[in-house]
Amino acid sequence: MLEIKNLHVSIGDRKILEGLSLSVKAGEVAAIMGPNGTGKSTLAYVLAGREGYEVTEGEALLDGENILGLEPHQRAARGLFLAFQYPVEIPGVATMTFLKAALNAQRRARGEGEAPTPDLMKRVRAAAKGLGVDSEILKRALNAGFSGGEKKRMEILQMALLAPRFAILDETDSGLDIDALRVVADGVNALRAKDRAFLVITHYQRLLNYIRPDTVHVMARGRIMRTGGPELALELEKNGYRDYVGEAA
Amino acid sequence: MAARQETVARVASIDVDAYKYGFFTDIEAEKAPKGLNEDIVRFISAKKNEPQWLTDWRLGAYRRWLTMAEPNWAKVDYPPIDYQDLHYYAAPKSTPGPTSLADVDPELLRTYEKLGIPLREQEILAGVETRRVAVDAVFDSVSVATTFKAELARAGVIFCPISEAVREHPELVRKYLGSVVPVTDNFFATLNSAVFSDGSFVYVPPGVRCPMELSTYFRINERNTGQFERTLIIADAGSYVSYLEGCTAPRRDENQLHAAVVELVALDDAEIKYSTVQNWYPGDSAGKGGVFNFVTKRGDCRGRNSHISWTQVETGSAITWKYPSCILRGDGSQGEFYSIAVSNGRQQVDSGTKMLHLGKNTRSRIISKGIAAGRSQNTYRGLVSAHRKASGARNFTNCDSLLIGSQCGAHTVPYIESKNASAVFEHEATTSKISEDQLFYCMQRGLSEEEATALIVNGFVREVLQKLPMEFAVEAQKLIAISLEGSVG
């Protein structure tokens, strides 16, 4: 489903990703673990198409198509979703309005026509209920004044509504207490499907107790250093990243 | 998003082409010869069969105007206006004056149809969900049609062209005309007093809640013609009226001058809501053409506990010089100003309000949202003052500016003068840019850069849009999106 080949990325003169290769199959949950400052979030942003990153080499294929030349909204319409580490506030735009605009923009881009509003509202309310999100919050401006936990739940709610093919979760566990973490993880697990894949970026093993990955990749110094099964996460929890940071640390 | 550079280039070349009201109606017009002198003033007055007192009033204004200088304190820059190179009167030939709808030239009806303004009462009646709106349509210097007059008359509401009011209700016109904006007020208002052509007159009798929205649509059509309309609205004790004006003009290479005066009078416990959706032609990307909009709008809360509220959505005009104000004379009276001013291309906006607290326990509220894109300059200028006797006066002001791109400017110039120690004035102001973070977040969810910008801008102005009558809020929202097309970057 996602195939990253020899990806090199710089910000200005600074090289962040240096020949990263990674493959995630349909139905798979892949975890990327690694020390801070190793380029995990950069990878997420580059895949989603954020400005300010220069791809100097390599490609990223989503269902066989190189997406690196596409605008962020075009990637979204092809089914790429990023759950932000720091969700952004949009003052004055009611959450429901935003969700409707986003879903319909994607549907239009795919030539599907807009979703009927009552239908959409029903789906949003159902998703909100499942994630323990108070439906009153849907009337408030998106993320404005939301608590950390509310913001993260809202990211998962959006993911459920937009039903992406490929979802990237960037440090979704950061700032969550254990109860919120469980709710968020349940939300993700409920979306696991044969034709959908996840890339879960995390610093700690903790999240992976709740979202069980099929594969674990260790990232350091701008590339994937090692790939293994879920047991690799436990090993990292015990030994830390010192075997991987090496001379760069 | 390698499109950043591209977008910046597009902004530079934007020709505000989205202006879809730029067509010209080919209709024979009767015009006064170019230039301004006492004979022209008399000509206009004679055309309208005005009584002697009004002719003299105009001439007095004209003589006064000759001694005045154009104000230059606003942050706008434009070439000198040659006041002798303009026509001060133009009227569609086939319309000698206000007529019944059946007599209106079909070409004119088609014009208003193109503008999306219903002038046929039965069509409006056929609409199921929309509220009915009575419309006065002013084409160049004359009113061409006023709808629902009969129905309004049954409620005792007078809604007609001001030229008709001069004939039919001279006592009201004489009593209130110039009582809020005096003849000597300022250069443009004085000019208007001398040559004003047409406009709307509204009188709501005591205790009457006007049964429908009243609305005037102004259209400048003729070349080299100034438009000087005059609107006078009187809400008698305990009455209520909501009024909306809309404005458009053809796209022309030369500038068109618009110098209107609007006077509102609210007596005891009366309320006037005045909304404007101003969409005059803004000129092209190089700053060629566009309407020069020099407007004096003022409301007098003359009675106790009276209430005047101004809501404006300004997207058009090359130059905007406009400060809808409230004189809070009656004790316990209330003034409000809600404004969205969008500028793009080379537009220059200098707009704001004055809240003059004279009475006790008077309250005012100012919410201004300026959005600058392209190479435009957008200034909020406002005055809040409390008179010696204005004990307990309160004002809250909030001015937010949003910048789109890096070649535009937003400025806030608030003046506060308080001569009463018990007055409480609050002022908040912010200036922000649409952040990369917000744009990227929205785009990641599937919105294009333009859609994302429109959504963020709509969020920014929502507080004010909510103050507009429902039908017009939708129109205004679309207008804002159109005005900002191609402005992202």
Side-chain angles (χ1 to χ4, degrees):
Chain A
M1 169 159 307
L2 181 78
E3 188 79 35
I4 302 172
K5 294 179 186 164
N6 189 32
L7 188 60
H8 289 257
V9 172
S10 309
I11 302 175
D13 297 335
R14 206 154 54 90
K15 290 181 177 172
I16 311 288
L17 300 185
E18 300 184 67
L20 185 141
S21 296
L22 176 70
S23 166
V24 183
K25 287 194 285 292
E28 186 179 326
V29 173
I32 290 194
M33 300 185 69
N36 286 326
T38 198
K40 300 194 298 294
S41 285
T42 295
L43 175 63
Y45 284 147
V46 168
L47 289 175
R50 191 183 180 115
E51 267 197 6
Y53 299 91
E54 196 190 348
V55 177
T56 53
E57 215 184 317
E59 54 185 6
L61 308 175
L62 179 63
D63 293 323
E65 180 191 17
N66 186 9
I67 56 170
L68 293 182
L70 299 176
E71 295 272 322
H73 64 286
Q74 295 168 327
R75 302 182 198 200
R78 281 164 176 74
L80 186 115
F81 182 89
L82 169 62
F84 282 62
Q85 183 178 3
Y86 303 108
V88 180
E89 300 188 1
I90 315 285
V93 178
T95 300
M96 188 62 96
T97 306
F98 181 86
L99 296 177
K100 191 176 153 196
L103 182 70
N104 282 332
Q106 291 201 15
R107 290 182 61 103
R108 279 197 304 274
R110 292 193 291 257
E112 292 170 2
E114 302 198 349
T117 303
D119 203 48
L120 184 143
M121 288 173 73
K122 218 183 274 172
R123 279 174 60 195
V124 171
R125 290 214 185 87
K129 202 169 173 203
L131 286 162
V133 172
D134 184 355
S135 65
E136 277 302 302
I137 218 174
L138 300 170
K139 296 177 192 161
R140 284 166 51 191
L142 182 68
N143 292 329
F146 288 18
S147 70
E150 284 170 336
K151 285 183 183 174
K152 292 294 171 76
R153 286 176 206 220
M154 193 51 71
E155 292 295 286
I156 304 304
L157 193 156
Q158 292 183 52
M159 182 166 78
L161 181 72
L162 298 171
R165 296 261 297 140
F166 189 85
I168 305 163
L169 276 62
D170 188 8
E171 307 269 3
T172 294
D173 50 330
S174 69
L176 288 186
D177 62 35
I178 199 75
D179 293 329
L181 183 65
R182 194 171 285 135
V183 172
V184 164
D186 287 348
V188 174
N189 288 329
L191 292 172
R192 292 175 83 145
K194 279 201 301 290
D195 56 353
R196 179 175 292 141
F198 292 86
L199 188 61
V200 180
I201 295 173
T202 183
H203 183 70
Y204 299 107
Q205 195 267 339
R206 188 178 73 150
L207 177 67
L208 303 181
N209 290 334
Y210 299 95
I211 303 173
R212 297 285 295 164
D214 299 302
T215 48
V216 174
H217 305 270
V218 183
M219 183 170 169
R221 285 146 58 196
R223 50 185 177 265
I224 302 296
M225 308 294 281
R226 194 176 153 196
T227 296
E231 72 289 346
L232 184 52
L234 296 170
E235 185 192 314
L236 287 169
E237 186 74 356
K238 208 161 70 194
N239 300 334
Y241 294 109
R242 61 173 181 269
D243 297 346
Y244 303 96
V245 284
E247 67 271 29
Chain B
M1 258 194 301
R4 178 92 352 175
Q5 264 324 104
E6 209 176 286
T7 333
V8 170
R10 253 174 75 203
V11 170
S13 71
I14 182 174
D15 126 279
V16 207
D17 257 337
Y19 194 77
K20 60 176 182 178
Y21 305 108
F23 61 87
F24 165 71
T25 306
D26 191 8
I27 194 159
E28 219 185 323
E30 183 183 14
K31 287 197 254 188
K34 268 188 184 176
L36 184 54
N37 52 49
E38 294 200 3
D39 286 341
I40 294 287
V41 175
R42 284 196 189 91
F43 171 88
I44 295 169
S45 193
K47 271 282 158 204
K48 300 192 169 287
N49 295 316
E50 286 174 354
Q52 190 59 41
W53 70 265
L54 192 50
T55 312
D56 293 342
W57 194 80
R58 287 176 179 274
L59 285 169
Y62 173 68
R63 289 173 195 139
R64 175 75 183 203
W65 180 71
L66 290 175
T67 69
M68 298 168 90
E70 217 172 300
N72 59 6
W73 40 260
K75 193 176 162 42
V76 290
D77 185 26
Y78 57 93
I81 299 168
D82 182 353
Y83 292 92
Q84 296 303 334
D85 194 37
L86 287 176
H87 295 284
Y88 286 82
Y89 181 85
K93 224 172 201 166
S94 51
T95 321
T99 46
S100 81
L101 278 173
D103 298 332
V104 175
D105 187 324
E107 188 62 32
L108 275 175
L109 285 180
R110 273 193 292 278
T111 299
Y112 282 91
E113 227 161 74
K114 258 169 141 174
L115 296 170
I117 300 152
L119 281 190
R120 292 192 174 90
E121 295 184 4
Q122 62 275 22
E123 277 182 16
I124 313 169
L125 286 166
V128 190
E129 80 284 26
T130 53
R131 270 183 295 158
R132 287 173 306 157
V133 177
V135 176
D136 183 21
V138 176
F139 196 82
D140 288 330
S141 303
V142 298
S143 168
V144 291
T146 309
T147 60
F148 289 111
K149 269 166 92 168
E151 185 163 344
L152 288 167
R154 275 198 293 279
V157 175
I158 303 168
F159 178 42
C160 67
I162 199 158
S163 49
E164 186 183 321
V166 169
R167 290 192 301 273
E168 307 290 328
H169 311 281
E171 69 300 336
L172 286 172
V173 176
R174 212 168 168 173
K175 181 168 175 193
Y176 291 105
L177 185 73
S179 74
V180 185
V181 178
V183 170
T184 55
D185 194 78
N186 70 71
F187 183 84
F188 295 110
T190 303
L191 174 62
N192 174 287
S193 302
V195 301
F196 76 87
S197 37
D198 222 331
S200 300
F201 175 83
V202 177
Y203 172 78
V204 189
V208 171
R209 198 179 162 86
C210 187
M212 62 184 86
E213 302 271 347
L214 303 183
S215 165
T216 301
Y217 273 87
F218 295 104
R219 174 81 178 163
I220 303 179
N221 192 58
E222 279 303 314
R223 193 177 291 274
N224 293 323
T225 301
Q227 180 148 349
F228 306 93
E229 80 268 1
R230 184 112 195 169
T231 298
L232 177 57
I233 299 178
I234 302 134
D236 213 322
S239 68
Y240 168 85
V241 61
S242 169
Y243 179 93
L244 182 118
E245 63 163 22
C247 339
T248 56
R251 184 191 305 228
R252 294 199 180 284
D253 287 346
E254 69 275 5
N255 298 110
Q256 288 160 294
L257 176 64
H258 175 248
V261 171
V262 175
E263 297 179 277
L264 312 181
V265 180
L267 301 181
D268 287 354
D269 302 303
E271 180 175 354
I272 302 174
K273 263 189 78 148
Y274 193 105
S275 313
T276 304
V277 176
Q278 185 266 105
N279 186 23
W280 296 118
Y281 178 51
D284 68 6
S285 59
K288 200 172 165 63
V291 171
F292 288 173
N293 197 27
F294 298 99
V295 173
T296 305
K297 290 184 167 175
R298 198 172 301 154
D300 189 352
C301 286
R302 209 163 278 184
R304 290 170 57 88
N305 301 322
S306 54
H307 186 172
I308 289 178
S309 119
W310 298 100
T311 304
Q312 57 170 24
V313 177
E314 306 267 310
T315 60
S317 296
I319 306 283
T320 301
W321 180 100
K322 180 179 161 186
Y323 316 89
S325 304
C326 294
I327 302 168
L328 302 167
R329 198 185 303 276
D331 289 348
S333 61
Q334 237 188 101
E336 290 170 309
F337 175 75
Y338 300 102
S339 170
I340 298 170
V342 182
S343 56
N344 198 353
R346 302 258 180 180
Q347 284 177 270
Q348 303 173 62
V349 179
D350 195 299
S351 183
T353 184
K354 284 189 277 188
M355 291 291 171
L356 310 174
H357 293 256
L358 306 182
K360 290 186 183 53
N361 299 316
T362 46
R363 281 169 294 159
S364 62
R365 188 177 168 84
I366 298 170
I367 308 283
S368 163
K369 306 277 182 181
I371 299 155
R375 291 165 176 269
S376 66
Q377 293 294 327
N378 203 320
T379 303
Y380 167 83
R381 189 183 301 279
L383 167 68
V384 179
S385 76
H387 189 265
R388 258 182 321 108
K389 292 176 182 161
S391 303
R394 288 193 70 98
N395 164 268
F396 173 77
T397 299
N398 174 285
C399 299
D400 295 330
S401 307
L402 188 67
L403 298 165
I404 302 175
S406 54
Q407 289 174 302
C408 51
H411 318 273
T412 303
V413 192
Y415 301 85
I416 292 177
E417 294 168 5
S418 177
K419 292 187 179 141
N420 186 301
S422 68
V424 179
F425 294 167
E426 287 174 74
H427 182 93
E428 288 176 4
T430 65
T431 301
S432 52
K433 280 189 79 163
I434 291 187
S435 76
E436 296 277 325
D437 284 347
Q438 287 176 327
L439 276 179
F440 174 61
Y441 187 84
C442 293
M443 291 178 76
Q444 204 302 304
R445 297 300 187 248
L447 299 166
S448 69
E449 194 168 359
E450 287 200 349
E451 288 168 332
T453 305
L455 187 77
I456 294 165
V457 168
N458 269 315
F460 178 73
V461 301
R462 188 165 75 142
E463 204 180 347
V464 175
L465 276 186
Q466 284 171 339
K467 298 289 173 191
L468 280 177
M470 186 60 188
E471 306 84 313
F472 303 111
V474 175
E475 187 187 339
Q477 198 163 348
K478 280 190 210 143
L479 198 56
I480 293 166
I482 291 168
S483 302
L484 290 172
E485 255 169 39
S487 70
V488 291

